[in-house]
Amino acid sequence: MLLSLGSLPATAVSYVMQRFPDSAAWFADEVGAGRVRSDDGTVVTTSSPYVPGASVWFHRPIPDDDAAPVTLDVLYEDEWIIAVDKPHGLCSTPKGENVRRSAVVAGRVQFANDEISALHRLDRSTGGVLLLCKRREHRGAFHKMFEQRSVSKTYWAVASLNGRVDAEPVRVESRINKTQGELQAREDPGEVNAITDVRLLVSFTDESGEWGLYEVRPLTGRTHQIRVHMTSLGLPLRGDKLYPVPLNDFDVEDPDNPMQLIARSMTFAHPMTGESVMIDSRLTPSSHAAVAG
């Protein structure tokens, strides 16, 4: 589990224990056993100082539940990373009751590697390319390329048509904030921190009406950025239960009608080899069979 340390305690351990007092005893045992690590793989001890912007890594206990095993479709693999197609409805990382039902835990089981971690996140409702790191000592190099925004991402989205977006890209710029404990992110006045380019690839009609398949390129990585910006264009995503208004069953995934957002491709310069890597998802929008090939 990754925790960003955002306060100013004396040590990293004291921060975690203050933030999660109910788990303090368990966490103390993990620290004592040497199972808590920093970004560079160093063992975190009770005297490890708090460093602003640093992170600590540890594995949350996995409850003994009846969750069905998940097999991840591998898109790319080398000695450092594995890229998989995260299914719609699967959390990227263990969260709340979704521990076994997460890509990280599924990857650790499938690849028999307890060090596997997610290098970025996709919303539970979003499917597509997810990058996993094999070893803790390599995480920092790959995290840096995300922090420096040197990773190019392309998404496919299905939404209605309203004439505001066509084949020419439309850029949406705003300030997006999300408060912990609130369901939705929001656009606030102030300096721009979220930029998204959107263009229409093709339109189609089915029994539910007229729709568009959009190519979406986020230039930044704010929480729910694509969902917020598509909604601001008057184009909420098909199957989205959270935007523009949360539905009563917003937290219940419908496998027969997933939210129509796919992390379609990812391109980056490999930090270990310097080579250009492009990874494409094999998922397609389930509501638009015309692009299934």
Side-chain angles (χ1 to χ4, degrees), residues 101-121:
R101 288 287 302 174
S102 66
V104 165
V105 172
R108 290 173 184 166
V109 173
Q110 182 173 335
F111 308 118
N113 179 355
D114 204 38
E115 292 187 31
I116 279 181
S117 61
L119 290 167
H120 61 109
R121 296 190 184 189

Side-chain angles (χ1 to χ4, degrees), residues 73-238:
D73 184 13
V74 176
L75 305 172
Y76 171 90
E77 182 175 4
D78 59 32
E79 66 177 286
W80 301 279
I81 55 175
I82 304 173
V84 300
D85 247 343
K86 186 187 82 65
H88 295 280
L90 185 70
C91 290
S92 296
T93 58
K95 181 179 181 181
E97 297 179 355
N98 296 290
V99 177
R100 291 187 185 275
R101 288 287 302 174
S102 66
V104 165
V105 172
R108 290 173 184 166
V109 173
Q110 182 173 335
F111 308 118
N113 179 355
D114 204 38
E115 292 187 31
I116 279 181
S117 61
L119 290 167
H120 61 109
R121 296 190 184 189
L122 297 177
D123 289 346
R124 179 163 63 118
S125 299
T126 303
V129 180
L130 180 69
L131 211 57
L132 305 176
C133 190
K134 290 184 173 181
R135 300 296 174 193
R136 60 173 62 92
E137 63 265 24
H138 300 141
R139 293 169 185 162
F142 288 95
H143 280 151
K144 185 175 294 185
M145 70 182 189
F146 285 96
E147 292 169 0
Q148 296 176 342
R149 298 180 183 174
S150 58
V151 180
S152 177
K153 302 177 186 177
T154 299
Y155 289 72
W156 272 357
V158 173
S160 59
L161 301 167
N162 65 6
R164 295 182 62 182
V165 180
D166 56 22
E168 291 298 317
V170 172
R171 175 160 293 185
V172 185
E173 300 181 341
S174 68
R175 181 170 188 81
I176 294 178
N177 293 313
K178 188 176 187 301
T179 301
Q180 187 173 3
E182 293 184 0
L183 297 177
Q184 294 181 320
R186 65 185 183 279
E187 291 181 292
D188 291 332
E191 182 179 357
V192 168
N193 65 2
I195 304 173
T196 307
D197 288 340
V198 184
R199 72 184 183 101
L200 177 66
L201 294 178
V202 65
S203 59
F204 64 98
T205 302
D206 65 14
E207 68 281 358
S208 298
E210 295 184 345
W211 303 92
L213 174 65
Y214 296 87
E215 180 185 81
V216 184
R217 294 180 178 269
L219 279 68
T220 53
R222 310 301 298 184
T223 299
H224 294 179
Q225 177 175 319
I226 292 176
R227 300 163 78 173
V228 170
H229 277 172
M230 289 294 286
T231 299
S232 74
L233 288 169
L235 301 170
L237 303 178
R238 187 172 187 176

